Amino acid sequence: MGKRDGPAKSLARLRIAFRRRRANILQMHCFGEHRSGHLFDPWETLGVRRREILDKGWAGMFQAQILLNLPVHHVAAHLKVGHGRPTKDLYVALGTLVLQQMYDMTDTAAAEAVAFNIAWHYALDIRNAKDAYVSERTIRNYRALVIEHGLDQVLFRNLTDHLMKVFKVDASHQRIDSTVLRSAMRKLGRLGVFTETIERFLRKLSQKFPDEYGRLDEIVRNRYLDGGKGMCFGGGTKPSEAARHLAQAAEDLLDLIDRFADAPAAELPAYKLMRRVLDEQCEVEPNDCGRKVVLKEKADGKSLQNPSDPDNTYNAHKGQGYMMQVMETYDPEEPATPPEADGTTTPTDESQQAQAHEPEQPLPPKPDLITFVAVNGMTDYDGDAVIPAIKETQERGVGPEDLSGDTSYGTANNPQAAAELGVELISPAQPPKGSLQGKLQLEDFVIGGDGLVVTCPAGRKPISLSVSPSGKNYQARFDACANCPLRPACPVQDPRPSDKQAYRLQYDRPRLEMYRRRLAEKEPEFRQRYRWRAGIEATMSRLKHVLGMGALRVRGLAAVTYEAFMGALCLNIMRCAAAR
């Protein structure tokens, strides 16, 4: 910009530069011509019948409701401008990722489907031959971009909210549950974790720092060839010798960590994994020779399960993997069925008689759509997902009025916290402590509406009742418990030295509220409402067995999260297509 240019000319030059940059961006980012009409119908060659099948099936629904609502501009915002050739049609690229997940395809199969599958062409509105080719590398690159910037969650939320509006899905009734996702990793024992981690570091060391690798003891290098299989399985190793090999692996781990602590190799991710294994599995104690390593008796569930998947965690009840939380809508109303003709009415004419033999068909039910997805570690408690799920769906305008979940979702303060957000949590309470051992509980006493005991399990009335000044604690005193046959299992306390004749039953207000909650759960009304929770098991089954989430081909939290959100979105699309 010259020094003699006036303000008006400078502003004009800035506008020209802005227009050029905008034109450059539009030229580099290809969005296709999906919003414009057709001068000639590109699908005319299909014929009337085949075109009707596509329109009424999933392909027509995808083209009409999904394709133009894909968040392509979120993807374009993370692409470089003025670098390389123009992009593929972003609608086709992003839509391919969705369809790939819907049919559980490999990259090779997805690229072939884009090229030759006419249903995919119709769903993606592919009009030009150049758009009918997407390479495997392009699919991998766009998937990596979506995972890196969390666009899988944007896809799920935006498209799900749009589908709920289009199909007028009622979000007032919802249910929540969790399922385990297994990543593509081998289950390792404790010795396997040590040997695999050390072998991974040695392999990276030989690639990045071959001189350092060459100065290592050859015995140590040979010991961990092929992931340490010689230590774990080969060389005549017996199960009784596993403890000795584990101690040897722990010593080698400490030696390698100390040796490369101040070397450039300490920046390798594999070295950091060795330090993590040492911290989680061992304790280092000083001795006469310097330091010695002592194995911990038991590792935490968050400890490293396999160096191939550092994010994987462990649960003693469900094993290794990730925990996926799913919340979906449901309709508690039974589908209406037309009354059968009983022959008591006489049609006045032939048209009425024909109509009497043709009962009205009920409208197809609205689809149950997944509204919330989260992926956590195996050590995370299910009850911690309730409040975040309610808050997120309320912010998107699809929050529930009542939420059904199993026992783990109704623990702690969740019912009260949900009520403060305007949501009724329908969840059974946990069984009282000692109930499985045959111990009597507060629920075995008869308590009135004022919270005071009326009779004990043996049918005896208390001699006195009292409530603390704060109104939070209650007490009932009995005088005939010494010879009662129920005394060994009864929760009443023995008499105090100052009051030797009275046995005491004490409880507080939270325990009283739990008493009322457990009694209410025995009523038919609660059972009728809670029975709808079981329907989410079918959703979990479809995610696992139809969408291929039962055996994932990926590793790592980010990749597993992508599979979870995209799988839930695809199930929503399939349900909406079936409900058209």
Side-chain angles (χ1 to χ4, degrees), residues 442 445-455 462 464-468 471-476 505-513 515-516 519:
L442 185 63
F445 289 76
V446 178
I447 298 180
D450 55 0
L452 299 176
V453 174
V454 178
T455 59
S464 67
L465 300 167
S466 60
V467 183
S468 65
K472 296 181 179 179
N473 298 299
Y474 300 80
Q475 177 177 272
L505 175 68
Q506 296 177 333
Y507 51 97
D508 54 13
R509 186 180 299 171
R511 183 66 182 88
L512 179 61
E513 293 175 354
Y515 166 87
R516 291 169 176 167
L519 289 184

Side-chain angles (χ1 to χ4, degrees), residues 85-102:
R85 300 179 60 186
T87 65
K88 285 286 184 183
D89 184 346
L90 294 181
Y91 285 101
V92 174
L94 206 53
T96 299
L97 295 180
V98 178
L99 294 182
Q100 178 190 24
Q101 191 72 28
M102 185 183 298

Side-chain angles (χ1 to χ4, degrees), residues 380-577:
D380 294 345
Y381 189 56
D382 284 347
D384 296 337
V386 172
I387 303 305
I390 294 175
K391 289 182 177 179
E392 181 189 307
T393 51
Q394 286 181 342
E395 290 174 359
R396 292 161 42 205
V398 293
E401 294 179 5
D402 60 71
L403 178 62
S404 300
D406 58 25
T407 304
S408 58
Y409 294 98
T411 55
N413 195 38
N414 281 346
Q416 180 180 352
E420 293 174 356
L421 295 173
V423 178
E424 179 186 4
L425 185 59
I426 305 173
S427 174
Q430 287 185 335
K433 294 181 179 179
S435 59
L436 299 179
Q437 289 75 31
K439 299 290 185 180
L440 296 177
Q441 308 295 326
L442 185 63
E443 285 71 18
D444 297 306
F445 289 76
V446 178
I447 298 180
D450 55 0
L452 299 176
V453 174
V454 178
T455 59
C456 72
R460 298 185 178 90
K461 296 182 178 181
I463 58 176
S464 67
L465 300 167
S466 60
V467 183
S468 65
S470 63
K472 296 181 179 179
N473 298 299
Y474 300 80
Q475 177 177 272
R477 297 170 64 246
F478 299 88
D479 62 351
C481 299
N483 299 323
C484 180
L486 301 179
R487 178 68 188 92
C490 189
V492 297
Q493 301 177 13
D494 292 333
R496 295 173 178 173
S498 59
D499 190 8
K500 297 183 179 180
Q501 300 299 323
Y503 292 79
R504 296 166 292 112
L505 175 68
Q506 296 177 333
Y507 51 97
D508 54 13
R509 186 180 299 171
R511 183 66 182 88
L512 179 61
E513 293 175 354
M514 184 63 70
Y515 166 87
R516 291 169 176 167
R517 177 181 170 186
R518 286 170 176 155
L519 289 184
E521 291 170 3
K522 298 179 180 179
E523 299 296 327
E525 180 183 359
F526 176 84
R527 296 178 181 272
Q528 173 67 18
R529 298 182 67 191
Y530 180 67
R531 73 185 181 93
W532 293 100
R533 187 216 67 86
I536 200 171
E537 301 296 343
T539 299
M540 300 303 186
S541 179
R542 294 201 69 184
L543 288 172
K544 292 288 188 70
H545 302 295
V546 177
L547 293 168
M549 298 181 66
L552 299 179
R553 295 190 291 266
V554 299
R555 290 191 291 262
L557 178 60
V560 172
T561 300
Y562 170 86
E563 295 281 334
F565 277 94
M566 295 293 282
L569 170 62
C570 292
L571 183 56
N572 286 345
I573 295 173
M574 295 168 67
R575 286 177 168 177
C576 289

